[in-house]
Amino acid sequence: MKSAVETLNPTRVRLSIEVPFEELKDSLDAAYKKINQQVTVKGFRKGKIPARVIDQRFGRGAVLEEAVNDALPKFYTEAVNEAEIDVLGQPEVDITELKDGETLNFTAEVDIRPSIEIPDYSGIEVEVDPVEVTEEDIDKSVEQLRERFASTSPVERAAEDGDVITIDLQAKVEGEVLEDGVAEGVSYTIGSGELLDGIDDAVKGLEAGGEATFASELKGGSAAGKEAEVTVKVTQVAARELPELDDEFAQLASEFDTLDELKADSRKRLENMKQYDQATQAQERVLEKLLELVEVPVPEKLLEDEINTRKHNLEHHQLGQMGLDLEKYLEIQGKTVEEFDAETKEAAVKGIKTQFVLDELVKQEKLNVNQEELTEHLMRRAASSGMSPDQFAQAVVEGGQVPLLVGEVARGKALAVVVEKATVKDTNGEIVDLNDEDEVEQATETVEAAEGTADAEAAEKTEG
C-alpha cells in the first residue's frame, strides 16, 4: 500500500491511497465466505459453493464490493498512522479506481486536529470579586434556616401573603377539563411562585371554602404552553409561625448551643462558598484570557456537529423536561432565532477551542493523570449522573470511555497549571491565593462547563 497526504486547509487533509490487488486477498476470501453463508445454489451444500460459481451466479462485482467495503477501514487506518495525523470524525471516502486483479485506489478527506502554538501565558492577569461576607448575608442565611423550622396552624380568616393554603385545582382548555388537570389537597405557600402564574392574586382574600377562577398558561402536562381556565378552591388557610431567634432555636436547628455560635458557623460556610465561587470565576477568566492568546482554527464539520449536538440536547432533553419547545423557550428568554443560533455557535467554538488548547498544554507540560485523580473525577461524574460509583465505572469501562474521563481530568490539570502562573487580584487590589487541594477537580468542572460537557451529562441522565 502507498499513501500520500495533501493539506486542504489547517484543519482538513486528503489522503490518496493505492492498494495493490494482492493485498485485497484476505478481504476477497472473507467476501466469498460471507456470501457463501448467505446464499443457496442447487447442487452445492451451504457454505461449500466454489468461488467461480458465485462469480457466475451473483457477479464478480458483488464480491468486489463486499471485499472493498471490508478492506477500506483497514487501509485508511494504516494511512492515517503512517502520516501521523490526528483525525477528527469520519472520513469522506471516494473510490477513484478499482481494476479487478490490478489495483484499488481511493481518497479519504477528513478533518484533523490543527497544529497549535501555545505562547507564554505566565503574564495573564485577571480580576475577580472579593470574598466578603456581610452581616446582611449572615442574617439572610439564618433566616432561611429559620424558615425551614417554621410551623403552621389553621386560622379562620382570609388568606394573606406567606400563608400556607390547601387547595383543589381544576384546569380547562377550550372548555374541556384536562385528564391531568385535576388536583386535590395541594399545599401552597402564597407568594412562593411555585405553581401557576396568577394564582396568588386569585387566592388572596379567600377564606376556607372560597373559590376563584383565573386564566393562566400551563407550565407542564399534556397541555403545556396552552392558556387554561383554572378554578381554585381553598379548603384550609394556615398561618406560618417562625421560631424566635435565640439560643433555643440554635439548639433546635443545629449542633450549636448558642445563636452566636450558629451565626459564626454561617459566616464560615458563606466564606467557603464565596471562596469556591471566586476560584471558579478566576479559572473562567484565566481560560478566556488564554484562549485570546492562541490562534485556533476550527474544523467546519466538527463545528457543525457540535452545534447540532448542543441544539439537540437543549430541545429534546433540557426543554423537554420543562415541558417547553424551542419557540416558547426563546420567547421566555426574549431572544430571536438568529440570536440563539449566534450564541450557540459562539459557545460551540469556545468549547472546541478549549479542548484543543488544553490538550496541547497537556502535551507541552507533560501532564499525567494518576489513579486517585481519575477515581475522584469518576465519583463526581457518577453523582451527577444519578448512578452509583460502581455502576458508573462499569458503564464507562464497557463503553470504552476511560480515555474520555482521563482527558477531562488532564485538561483540568492543564487549566490549573495556567491559573497557578496567572496573577489573580480581587477588585480591592488584593492578590488572591487559589491553592487548594480540590483545585484540579474544580478546574475540571470549569473546563467541562466551557466545553459543554455538563449539558451532555444532563442529556445522558435524561435518556437514562
Side-chain angles (χ1 to χ4, degrees):
M1 184 200 80
K2 293 192 300 183
S3 64
V5 182
E6 177 188 356
T7 300
L8 303 177
N9 61 50
T11 63
R12 194 166 179 83
V13 298
R14 180 188 292 122
L15 294 164
S16 298
I17 302 162
E18 298 179 18
V19 183
F21 207 81
E22 57 266 23
E23 292 187 33
L24 287 173
K25 183 180 182 307
D26 289 345
S27 293
L28 279 168
D29 291 343
Y32 279 117
K33 186 175 181 180
K34 182 175 180 180
I35 294 172
N36 240 310
Q37 299 300 321
Q38 294 175 337
V39 301
T40 302
V41 175
K42 190 175 181 180
F44 296 95
R45 283 182 297 162
K46 198 172 185 67
K48 299 295 184 180
I49 308 169
R52 60 178 175 77
V53 174
I54 290 176
D55 288 347
Q56 290 168 356
R57 288 293 186 92
F58 306 103
R60 174 72 167 175
V63 179
L64 286 174
E65 183 180 353
E66 183 66 42
V68 169
N69 287 339
D70 175 75
L72 282 179
K74 180 184 72 171
F75 291 119
Y76 165 72
T77 301
E78 285 182 17
V80 166
N81 293 337
E82 187 178 282
E84 297 182 340
I85 52 178
D86 192 350
V87 299
L88 302 166
Q90 296 300 313
E92 293 180 7
V93 176
D94 181 29
I95 297 173
T96 55
E97 186 176 30
L98 174 58
K99 288 185 178 179
D100 194 358
E102 294 183 30
T103 186
L104 163 66
N105 295 338
F106 68 96
T107 62
E109 283 192 23
V110 66
D111 284 336
I112 60 168
R113 188 177 289 261
S115 177
I116 297 173
E117 195 72 37
I118 307 290
D120 179 21
Y121 51 82
S122 60
I124 289 178
E125 294 184 11
V126 296
E127 191 175 68
V128 295
D129 297 330
V131 173
E132 294 176 345
V133 177
T134 65
E135 291 301 319
E136 185 180 346
D137 293 332
I138 298 169
D139 290 343
K140 184 178 178 181
S141 174
V142 173
E143 189 62 26
Q144 288 172 343
L145 183 62
R146 189 182 176 208
E147 292 273 355
R148 286 169 49 192
F149 283 86
S151 59
T152 59
S153 57
V155 292
E156 294 184 6
R157 60 164 172 77
E160 302 172 354
D161 263 329
D163 284 344
V164 179
I165 56 175
T166 305
I167 53 177
D168 297 336
L169 293 164
Q170 183 188 81
K172 292 181 181 179
V173 173
E174 297 177 354
E176 295 291 327
V177 177
L178 300 171
E179 284 187 19
D180 55 354
V182 178
E184 296 180 349
V186 177
S187 180
Y188 174 66
T189 302
I190 300 176
S192 67
E194 293 173 353
L195 276 178
L196 298 165
D197 293 338
I199 192 169
D200 289 338
D201 290 337
V203 298
K204 276 190 286 190
L206 294 181
E207 298 184 17
E211 191 174 295
T213 300
F214 64 100
S216 183
E217 186 177 293
L218 298 178
K219 296 180 180 178
S222 61
K226 292 185 178 179
E227 189 81 9
E229 180 185 275
V230 182
T231 300
V232 55
K233 181 179 180 180
V234 177
T235 58
Q236 185 186 76
V237 179
R240 298 176 76 251
E241 297 175 0
L242 298 173
E244 291 294 325
L245 277 178
D246 52 22
D247 293 346
E248 188 175 332
F249 167 70
Q251 293 162 19
L252 169 70
S254 70
E255 70 271 30
F256 302 107
D257 294 325
T258 68
L259 185 60
D260 286 343
E261 289 174 332
L262 174 60
K263 287 186 174 183
D265 180 68
S266 294
R267 177 183 290 277
K268 184 178 179 181
R269 283 189 299 102
L270 289 170
E271 284 176 349
N272 288 339
M273 288 170 57
K274 292 202 172 192
Q275 283 171 349
Y276 186 91
D277 291 343
Q278 184 189 61
T280 299
Q281 190 181 56
Q283 290 163 354
E284 290 171 347
R285 292 182 178 178
V286 167
L287 178 58
E288 287 172 5
K289 291 276 189 179
L290 176 65
L291 295 180
E292 289 173 7
L293 290 176
V294 188
E295 187 68 34
V296 185
V298 176
E300 288 183 16
K301 183 67 169 62
L302 181 66
L303 177 58
E304 180 185 337
D305 290 345
E306 179 66 16
I307 290 171
N308 290 336
T309 297
R310 287 171 182 258
K311 286 183 176 179
H312 177 85
N313 288 341
L314 176 66
E315 290 187 60
H316 298 281
H317 301 294
Q318 294 159 275
L319 296 183
Q321 280 185 313
M322 296 185 285
L324 297 174
D325 59 18
L326 183 59
E327 184 180 352
K328 186 61 184 175
Y329 169 75
L330 294 179
E331 183 184 324
I332 293 170
Q333 295 290 315
K335 294 177 184 174
T336 64
V337 173
E338 291 74 20
E339 288 170 337
F340 168 73
D341 286 344
E343 288 179 7
T344 304
K345 180 178 180 180
E346 184 180 351
V349 168
K350 182 181 178 182
I352 293 169
K353 285 186 174 182
T354 296
Q355 187 172 120
F356 285 173
V357 170
L358 294 180
D359 281 346
E360 186 63 31
L361 264 172
V362 168
K363 288 193 293 185
Q364 183 175 302
E365 299 289 345
K366 297 181 173 59
L367 300 175
N368 295 306
V369 176
N370 61 43
Q371 188 60 48
E372 183 181 349
E373 291 165 337
L374 182 59
T375 300
E376 183 180 352
H377 183 56
L378 187 146
M379 297 276 282
R380 183 181 64 78
R381 285 286 301 270
S384 68
S385 70
M387 300 168 70
S388 72
D390 287 344
Q391 288 174 323
F392 187 78
Q394 183 178 352
V396 166
V397 172
E398 289 177 354
Q401 300 297 304
V402 173
L404 190 72
L405 261 64
V406 171
E408 290 172 355
V409 180
R411 288 192 285 277
K413 293 186 77 169
L415 177 57
V417 168
V418 181
V419 172
E420 188 177 339
K421 293 184 178 180
T423 300
V424 181
K425 294 181 180 180
D426 65 23
T427 52
N428 295 327
E430 299 292 328
I431 294 288
V432 176
D433 181 7
L434 297 172
N435 291 331
D436 185 85
E437 58 182 16
D438 297 324
E439 180 183 11
V440 170
E441 189 58 25
Q442 189 176 358
T444 303
E445 290 182 35
T446 301
V447 172
E448 287 173 8
E451 293 179 357
T453 314
D455 292 339
E457 284 179 8
E460 289 166 9
K461 186 174 179 181
T462 306
E463 287 179 311

